[in-house]
Amino acid sequence: TAVFQGFTIPMGLEHFKGEEGKLRRQAISHAINRDEITKVAFNGTRTPAKEFTSPAVPGFDENIKGNEVLKYDPEKAKELWNKAEEISKYEGTFTIAYNSDGGHQTWVDATANSIKNALGINAEGKPYPDFKSLRNDVTNRTITGAFRTGWQADYPSMYNFLAPVYMTGAGANDAEYASPEFDGMMKEAAGMTDHEASLKKMNEAQEKLFEDLPAIPLWYANVNGGWSANVDNVAFDWHSVPVYYKITKQA
């Protein structure tokens, strides 16, 4: 379905900006065993991410340049982290904030443990009592670490996953990410009359996101549903709803 899930590391967070920040963001992404977590923590109801949009929308490309950073590779992760250590020593605990009322503890703990084991650092979940408390710190820019984020499309378009979340000053740009290069490509894509060319341009824009990693892509939500043996031709659309007009009754 058209749901993207990940976690955001604020662009101004200490040790996560500049060249040091790029190295650490890449290291953390490589340290996450998405395949194992989606199987164990979610019982296969999530699909490991390949990019920043969703397989449910046109233009999705699982081979975007730079997305190898999503591959679980603890050795590469440690190598990148050590390069960042040469720039500045990291102290303290890497935290992923989440709201306790949303059923997120299991995957956050699993993700933090994966990071901890691969990098040899302290990493843990940081629970907030409810969604409002978490969002208050995010909105007020008082949050002191990474935090869970997600996006459910308002309409089936890659643009809806990218522009509201990563363009400079956008309403849901909680990372405070600012890239003139990314913004320029998105504006160019929005002005194209050739739909396929527009999709290609947005995937080029995603290459920039993979360089900077304002968010760490984790997985996509899968549709879960069931139906009676008395009906056939059941399918679900991009926003998880059965396509009722295609359903047929068994004779």
Side-chain angles (χ1 to χ4, degrees):
T1 187
V3 176
F4 168 91
Q5 296 173 318
F7 63 85
T8 292
I9 305 174
M11 298 306 293
L13 196 65
E14 186 177 6
H15 295 295
F16 286 92
K17 47 192 173 183
E19 183 60 26
E20 178 193 358
K22 281 189 177 183
L23 291 167
R24 293 200 191 280
R25 290 165 188 270
Q26 292 169 15
I28 284 171
S29 185
H30 277 302
I32 302 168
N33 192 337
R34 294 167 179 81
D35 287 335
E36 181 178 83
I37 295 170
T38 53
K39 289 175 184 175
V40 177
F42 288 111
N43 197 30
T45 61
R46 303 292 188 276
T47 298
K50 298 295 185 183
E51 47 123 296
F52 289 83
T53 70
S54 163
V57 299
F60 174 83
D61 184 356
E62 63 178 25
N63 297 307
I64 291 176
K65 181 181 177 182
N67 79 341
E68 60 271 11
V69 76
L70 302 179
K71 180 183 177 182
Y72 177 57
D73 189 340
E75 290 184 5
K76 182 69 173 178
K78 188 66 175 177
E79 176 190 333
L80 292 164
W81 191 265
N82 287 340
K83 285 182 179 180
E85 288 289 276
E86 294 173 5
I87 298 173
S88 176
K89 292 293 183 182
Y90 184 87
E91 296 179 354
T93 300
F94 181 79
T95 58
I96 304 173
Y98 65 97
N99 50 303
S100 297
D101 62 352
H104 300 288
Q105 181 178 356
T106 299
W107 75 257
V108 171
D109 286 349
T111 301
N113 283 334
S114 188
I115 294 169
K116 179 180 179 179
N117 293 336
L119 299 180
I121 64 172
N122 291 323
E124 62 187 24
K126 182 179 179 180
Y128 281 69
D130 50 44
F131 184 68
K132 182 178 184 297
S133 301
L134 172 60
R135 289 304 306 175
N136 282 344
D137 269 3
V138 172
T139 302
N140 295 329
R141 305 303 191 237
T142 52
I143 200 151
T144 57
F147 52 94
R148 79 155 193 94
T149 44
W151 191 259
Q152 182 168 5
D154 301 298
Y155 51 91
S157 168
M158 292 174 61
Y159 190 86
N160 186 242
F161 280 95
L162 302 174
V165 184
Y166 304 110
M167 287 187 73
T168 304
N173 188 345
D174 293 326
E176 295 197 292
Y177 178 61
S179 167
E181 183 180 348
F182 175 80
D183 291 350
M185 285 188 282
M186 290 300 296
K187 289 175 183 176
E188 185 179 349
M192 289 178 168
T193 55
D194 184 326
H195 187 226
E196 291 301 317
S198 177
L199 296 176
K200 184 177 179 181
K201 180 58 65 175
M202 283 188 277
N203 281 333
E204 288 179 24
Q206 285 199 74
E207 294 179 20
K208 181 60 179 171
L209 293 182
F210 277 118
E211 285 182 26
D212 299 334
L213 290 177
I216 306 297
L218 291 176
W219 38 72
Y220 313 113
N222 298 337
V223 178
N224 299 295
W227 55 91
S228 163
N230 295 322
V231 295
D232 206 351
N233 297 322
V234 179
F236 293 81
D237 65 14
W238 62 273
H239 54 6
S240 311
V241 178
V243 185
Y244 291 108
Y245 67 87
K246 289 187 177 180
I247 298 173
T248 56
K249 186 177 180 180
Q250 293 278 27

